[in-house]
Amino acid sequence: MTQSSTPAASAREKARKPRAHNAPPGIDIHARAPQPAKNSEVVYRDLRRAIIAMELAPGTPIVEKEITDKYRISRTPVREAVLKLAEDRLVDVVPKSGTFVARIPLTILREALVARRALEEVTVRAATARASESQIMHLRAIIQRQQEMADTGDEKAFHRADEDFHAEIAAVGRFPGIWDMIQQIRIQIERYRRLTLPQKGRMQLVVNEHKAVLEAIAGRDADQAASRMHDHLNKLQLDIAVFRDLWPEYFIYDPALDDDLLMD
Amino acid sequence: MTQSSTPAASAREKARKPRAHNAPPGIDIHARAPQPAKNSEVVYRDLRRAIIAMELAPGTPIVEKEITDKYRISRTPVREAVLKLAEDRLVDVVPKSGTFVARIPLTILREALVARRALEEVTVRAATARASESQIMHLRAIIQRQQEMADTGDEKAFHRADEDFHAEIAAVGRFPGIWDMIQQIRIQIERYRRLTLPQKGRMQLVVNEHKAVLEAIAGRDADQAASRMHDHLNKLQLDIAVFRDLWPEYFIYDPALDDDLLMD
DNA sequence: TCCAAATAACTAGTATACAAGATATATTTG
DNA sequence: CAAATATATCTTGTATACTAGTTATTTGGA
């Protein structure tokens, strides 16, 4: 098998001419976890989780020294993780001064909500077009699980089910790349969401909205599915102005775009 | 002024307690270029430009040593640049083996086209809703410039004007963050576009489509503007399958999603 | 001549030392 | 005692040495 020249391999050989290096292993970009997790990746994930969970408040300094001591590693992988977080706009690096958990930019928040809405409308339309019966049953099962979590009041599991629902719609629509984009956008939104207090009955409302979306999918009505998804995702942006006044130090606020925050 | 307790400062003081570092300078994230450009940034931009321009073909090894010699800098900033490129999916890093210019994943390409369409429909709708007369005149001027470039056949300047047109629409719609997302997506699409041979009359077609979009904006018809933008952006994806056969070594191809490439 | 195993030459990942600048504290001076 | 200045101590940015794993080459055997 090592030297068999299958038609699939012939094309690859052309690129391999100068060096075998030219042909990196045919690993799918989305599935390369066989390697032992790199240290920088571990630090990155831990920090990201803590920042998104608002355990590290905006403005908190990120001191590389503390992290190197905690994980018993050198600055190099720590720095790598910090740079990734900077790419995600979760930290601000001030040269020769310090690194800080980023404040939440209100204008970006507004745009993130709009962009997510647009992309999820795409995925739900595609899902409506191609959902099989089994996939619809799977979505029903997810909603049922979310209903049970809402009944027992398990917020964490509830949000896991919430994410699963949206992820499954993207998967059914066959848009894994767009789902990645949505997740990237969700990172920005998530910190804001964590500031919202658990409102009584909100979980049941979310479940009902999910049910409405699924009904439209099952009825093969793409327009209705998109519309209901739109309404569902709109619920988040109700009171940006309120939180800006409650935690002013958590946000960055650009007065030039004030009016934008109030419009749809 | 150092210790005056204005109401605005009181909130900030809370975060400043442990160290003054807690309050990073109130710089807008989008405007921090006073610093001398970091070496890693220079390397990143140069490599990204070369990759996007297809000067570095997919599969080409990126050798850090060559770059450190060329720029007379150490591996650290080079490595930083390479990691950024990996984030952008422009290179694949194979641990302990090598770094290579990434092959273009056809499935990602399809999703990128869909996502860009969705986001540009958002920006053009917003632009239609709030464009001032002067902004419409500005857009007309951009199209006129693009027309002149099409007439003289200056491809590079033509594409600059093309980008300006889309950028200005996003700016008019007040979605700078969404424009950033679109640009990120464009990176993926751009390499593919570079493979398309200049077709006779294509530039004039693009100009005409831009004119159609602008007319809809000027007529305050958001639905029509979005529809025309949709059609305009659809022109790109005509012949993915053709290029896959022409340069098979430039692409990664997932047979599980074959049929997806053919649908809208 | 061909194939296989040992070896050499590469790669990215990591650790550490140092440099340059910003901030905090201590000191001096009026 | 207050304010300005000088010093010390932080921070991130960079350079370099080293480690571990991968790939290419050489060498030995049949």
Side-chain angles (χ1 to χ4, degrees), chain A residues 128-142:
Chain A
T128 302
R130 43 197 327 172
S132 68
E133 273 308 312
S134 65
Q135 287 171 325
I136 289 174
M137 289 171 66
H138 187 195
L139 284 168
R140 271 194 224 287
I142 292 174

Side-chain angles (χ1 to χ4, degrees), chain B:
Chain B
M1 196 55 153
T2 51
Q3 284 191 342
S4 72
S5 57
T6 67
S10 66
R12 213 170 299 137
E13 279 182 350
K14 206 190 304 178
R16 198 194 294 159
K17 220 181 301 175
R19 301 190 58 191
H21 262 135
N22 267 19
I27 47 176
D28 184 0
I29 291 180
H30 286 287
R32 46 168 159 179
Q35 337 268 4
K38 288 195 300 181
N39 286 333
S40 63
E41 196 68 21
V42 175
V43 174
Y44 169 72
R45 293 204 170 277
D46 286 0
L47 283 177
R48 190 181 64 176
R49 192 204 58 75
I51 293 172
I52 291 175
M54 294 293 281
E55 294 168 13
L56 294 173
T60 305
I62 305 286
V63 182
E64 292 183 357
K65 183 70 163 49
E66 293 177 4
I67 301 170
T68 60
D69 293 348
K70 179 177 176 187
Y71 290 85
R72 306 294 189 86
I73 58 179
S74 78
R75 269 188 64 203
T76 307
V78 172
R79 193 172 151 65
E80 195 173 307
V82 169
L83 289 170
K84 260 194 194 176
L85 291 169
E87 287 277 307
D88 294 341
R89 295 212 180 291
L90 289 179
V91 303
D92 290 330
V93 177
V94 182
K96 310 299 173 79
S97 174
T99 301
F100 311 90
V101 177
R103 288 171 169 74
I104 303 171
L106 281 182
T107 62
I108 297 291
L109 195 54
R110 158 184 161 265
E111 297 193 61
L113 289 164
V114 173
R116 182 189 177 185
R117 242 170 34 200
L119 294 178
E120 293 234 28
E121 281 183 35
V122 168
T123 59
V124 80
R125 278 182 189 278
T128 303
R130 43 198 325 172
S132 68
E133 274 308 312
S134 64
Q135 287 172 325
I136 290 174
M137 290 170 67
H138 186 195
L139 284 168
R140 271 196 224 287
I142 292 174
I143 291 181
Q144 177 58 26
R145 172 159 54 92
Q146 195 177 22
Q147 177 70 68
E148 290 161 8
M149 296 307 113
D151 293 341
T152 61
D154 185 340
E155 280 233 37
K156 272 186 71 174
F158 176 84
H159 283 117
R160 255 198 306 276
D162 186 282
E163 179 171 348
D164 288 346
F165 180 72
H166 290 270
E168 183 60 20
I169 285 178
V172 169
R174 304 237 209 156
F175 282 120
I178 289 184
W179 176 243
D180 287 345
M181 295 183 208
I182 293 171
Q183 277 185 304
Q184 195 68 21
I185 294 169
R186 271 167 48 97
I187 289 177
Q188 294 295 329
I189 301 173
E190 185 64 8
R191 289 205 293 167
Y192 162 73
R193 194 188 61 74
R194 293 284 180 132
L195 291 178
T196 65
L197 300 176
Q199 297 165 318
K200 187 164 175 53
R202 193 186 61 81
M203 286 195 280
Q204 187 58 54
L205 280 176
V206 168
V207 172
N208 291 345
E209 288 162 9
H210 281 188
K211 283 178 181 169
V213 170
L214 179 53
E215 275 173 32
I217 293 175
R220 306 294 177 186
D221 188 336
D223 286 337
Q224 193 173 47
S227 167
R228 287 175 174 173
M229 180 64 86
H230 182 106
D231 293 344
H232 170 51
L233 292 174
N234 242 5
K235 293 291 170 63
L236 267 175
Q237 68 178 319
L238 20 87
D239 34 25
I240 285 181
V242 174
F243 290 100
R244 179 190 58 203
D245 296 337
L246 276 178
W247 296 280
E249 72 275 19
Y250 285 179
F251 295 98
I252 287 182
Y253 170 61
D254 183 350
L257 295 175
D258 187 12
D259 52 327
D260 289 347
L261 295 175
L262 304 177
M263 55 166 290
D264 187 24

